[in-house]
Amino acid sequence: MQTDHERWMEQALHLAERAFEEGEVPVGAVVVHEGRVIGKGCNQNEQLRDPTAHAEIIAITAAANTLGSKWLENCTLYVTLEPCAMCAGAIVLARIPTLVFGAYDAKAGACGTLRNIVEDNRLNHTVHVVPGVSDDRSTALLKSFFGTLRGNTDLTDRTD
């Protein structure tokens, strides 16, 4: 039986697959408010030639436009990969109360792995984090992407 978190993460995974097909690092994100998706995005760094065009930033911007507010209170962000410092900062600034992510990011994770920006009590907002939802699928997608990029299909124990 699929949980609500898994159901919404499934949508983020579809966006990550789309990013993969477009030659982007396969990360997808959706913002859910009152049982419906109000913002979605996938990585578009290469396509837009923009280092800030991460899935989370695109989804947060779309959600803010949908609600007509910079505050995304009563929303949940679902993302297939643990957010980096930039995205974690955006999550805090948008006052998103809940973050659900898939795979941990050993090289850039800022929501528990390398640092924990979203749960830092010194900031004006903290976020409840639910890690590891559908992490096996998120990790497999990342391994496949980087394996294809490097021409190496045997990438056991590597997600970079």
Side-chain angles (χ1 to χ4, degrees):
M1 178 178 229
Q2 194 177 46
T3 68
D4 281 343
H5 288 326
E6 291 167 332
R7 181 171 63 100
W8 296 117
M9 186 63 75
E10 185 71 30
Q11 291 192 34
L13 282 161
H14 286 302
L15 291 163
E17 290 166 352
R18 187 173 91 198
F20 186 120
E21 292 167 3
E22 295 174 357
E24 301 280 354
V25 175
V27 178
V30 296
V31 177
V32 176
H33 179 259
E34 297 179 351
R36 69 182 181 98
V37 173
I38 61 165
K40 61 184 177 179
C42 60
N43 276 0
Q44 295 182 16
N45 304 91
E46 302 301 325
Q47 180 183 351
L48 298 177
R49 294 178 180 84
D50 180 355
T52 68
H54 289 199
E56 301 94 321
I57 300 298
I58 293 166
I60 288 168
T61 299
N65 286 332
T66 298
L67 291 181
S69 174
K70 64 182 179 179
W71 308 130
L72 299 181
E73 298 164 324
N74 302 313
C75 291
T76 300
L77 173 64
Y78 292 85
V79 62
T80 59
L81 180 65
E82 178 183 2
C84 68
M86 174 185 69
C87 293
I91 292 164
V92 170
L93 291 173
R95 297 186 182 168
I96 296 172
T98 306
L99 164 67
V100 179
F101 71 82
Y104 287 90
D105 187 345
K107 292 189 174 187
C111 298
T113 299
L114 296 179
R115 58 195 53 81
N116 196 345
I117 293 169
V118 295
E119 293 181 314
D120 188 331
N121 289 323
R122 296 171 295 177
L123 300 176
N124 68 335
H125 174 75
T126 58
V127 179
H128 173 68
V129 178
V130 180
V133 175
S134 301
D135 61 335
D136 53 342
R137 291 186 55 209
S138 297
T139 299
L141 191 58
L142 288 160
K143 284 183 179 182
S144 179
F145 175 81
F146 286 109
T148 301
L149 191 67
R150 295 180 182 132
N152 178 3
T153 57
D154 181 26
L155 289 176
T156 54
D157 299 322
R158 294 197 57 186
T159 58
D160 58 30

